[in-house]
Amino acid sequence: MSDQLSICLIGAWRVSIGGKDIRIANRKTSAILACLALSETPQLSRERLLGMLWSEADTDRARASLRQALHELRDCVVSAGFEGFETDKLQVGLMPGSFVTDVQEIMQAAERGEAHPLALTQSSLTDEFLHSLESIDPAFEAWVSGKRRFIEDTLTRAYEKAIASNSTPAPRRETLARALAGLDPTNEIAVRQHMIARFERGDVAGALHAYKNLWDLLSEEFDTEPSRMTQDLFVQIKMAEENEAASGAAAKGLADNTLARASPVAFRNAQAERLVIAVAPFDVDGVPHDRQYLVHGFRRDLLSSLVRFREWLVREAASPAQAASAHDEYAIEASAFAESDGLRLALMLKDNASGVYLWSERFRVSVEQWAETQQSIVRRIAAVLNVQISSGRLAQLADLGSEDASAYDRWLKAQVETFSWNPVPWAAALSAMRTLAKERPGFSPAFSSVTQMLNSSQFVLIGQIPDAAHVEEAIDHGLEATRLDPVDTRGHLALGWAYAMGGQHDRAVVHHDLAVELNDNDPWTLMSGALGAGCRLRHDIALGRAERAMELSIAPGPMHLLYWANIAFLRGDYATCVSIDPAVWRSRTYSGGWFVAALGQLGRKKEAKLAFEDFAGRIRNAWLAGPVPDDAAIGCWFLKLWPFINEAEWAKLRDGFSHAGVDVSAASFSLGRE
């Protein structure tokens, strides 16, 4: 085999082999190489490359440009002696082991508990990742943003784990702390390790200076102060400084004591042996009905905020009693009430094992202080549970400017109705979201919500099927949502499904994968991305995501179970599909068709016919598209609801209905909406 291809993705873009640089003139050709080098699979489909790098071009022009770029790439690397470039009519890839990237080397060093030299010498390491190429296409730019977040999170966890391990030599801990601080100057594990290292060498002034730098940074940038653990370390060092008799042994004892206190938490987090936090419904009896949407919206956003952090698992409880049912977790309970100056939320954190309330505090609920209050709650929970979360990571929670407060309030009101699945208020909410997006063109949540609602309209407005104009509107709003906020998973999930509904699966996969990479700790993001992968024949990926979603969910709700069953059907596992409780299938009017088809595929025709009668009765009661439909019309309507990548996959659903005795001979497969 030829020498390995060396690809520098951080800082100046550079490709070389055997120490000799390879010049690639076209930036999109370079971007193709970057995508191949960073792919989790040995090959990428040509369709996916089209979606990532020519997202705004028409299909014929994009395909021609891709062919030209691949021809240029092959000429460049093959003429330099590289033999690992592989391509055919459908796939493009780099042979495993034939190339190496600086990112790969940095990540592998981190897994070994070491800091790669680049992690110490390259300032703003993740910001410099593909910096010279990121602007070539909106989809590629969003992908780069997601990869930056993934690299930073992965390195942070690896460095924190190594620093906390008693087997890591002290000099290496200090080096790792430098690399960790380079990623996030507010990471207090890094700062404490730096303080300890200076103190061990007798440089008390240096240790105290490191603390002062952190204090100033947190005060100026985040209006907060270091955690109690870091403050305690400062006090101990200060006391040791004042005690002239302090010996090196005392300093070593201080260091060991501090690390011993930090180590169990950091190690547990890194190993995914995490705490569990259950969030019960908030009591809103003390809030006027027309203001309750604020409390419900705040709870949903708090759940979204909590799942962004890998330090704990989060589950949604259906009632306070359910939140208290487990003995190895903590429960968040809250009561909202109205006061003269607005709404207040009394929030409590309870240890379910002992029943003891560990913390309680009152917060004002208002759109003006929304993000600040969310951050405060997450910070307080982390402090009580002795979990390290840096201020820099907390700042990644959505930050609303004062000019967005009224828009956010309107969005919250409309969003409440989107969860009702009641056609009349749901349609009014869609109209309100459309108006908000038009009037506030910089407010990304409105655009992603319009896309989400358009994608799901056929499941709420029973009997209707979106047309091509409907899908085009969904795509347009999704594109704007991801442009305004390229790291928001909601926008990418919504845009991915909009593309899928339009039959553009090459573009759908880009955004579904991005959504998962941006927040692979969120069960719903994983499950939605899993179903998307299943619709595109990526069954191994779909199953992996779904299993992780179920693991993180702890107590999966009906929608998670329905998606799990749909994914099972898509990979031909009909037995798992029908094992779901029938009550779950009835939780959504439209869902029972999968159950019918799975029974039909298993040859359980009597059961399938009974299941269809039950399903069809609920559909007729909810039908909004004219006269009451017969069985055949219901079957044909159901077969149009989901976006399949080819007719063979769609036929599994059709044949299941046929085996159940439903005449769906009039149904036909269509890749996109007509």
Side-chain angles (χ1 to χ4, degrees), residues 180-203:
L180 185 54
L183 291 171
D184 179 5
T186 71
N187 188 293
E188 295 190 40
I189 291 177
V191 175
R192 288 197 297 270
Q193 180 57 50
H194 185 60
M195 292 168 66
I196 290 168
R198 290 295 183 97
F199 184 70
E200 284 183 316
R201 293 199 298 269
D203 183 8

Side-chain angles (χ1 to χ4, degrees), residues 323-337:
S325 62
H327 299 291
D328 57 350
E329 64 185 25
Y330 299 85
I332 294 176
E333 301 175 1
S335 297
F337 47 91

Side-chain angles (χ1 to χ4, degrees), residues 194-212 233-244 246-248 251 254:
H194 185 60
M195 292 168 66
I196 290 168
R198 290 295 183 97
F199 184 70
E200 284 183 316
R201 293 199 298 269
D203 183 8
V204 176
L208 298 179
H209 184 67
Y211 178 81
K212 183 180 184 304
L233 177 59
F234 167 76
V235 171
Q236 292 178 63
I237 293 175
K238 190 70 176 173
M239 289 173 62
E241 178 192 32
E242 294 170 356
N243 182 0
E244 296 181 359
S247 64
L254 170 64

Side-chain angles (χ1 to χ4, degrees), residues 116-130:
H116 189 277
L118 265 178
L120 301 171
T121 59
Q122 179 69 55
S123 61
S124 304
L125 185 143
T126 52
D127 289 343
E128 291 299 313
F129 170 74
L130 290 177

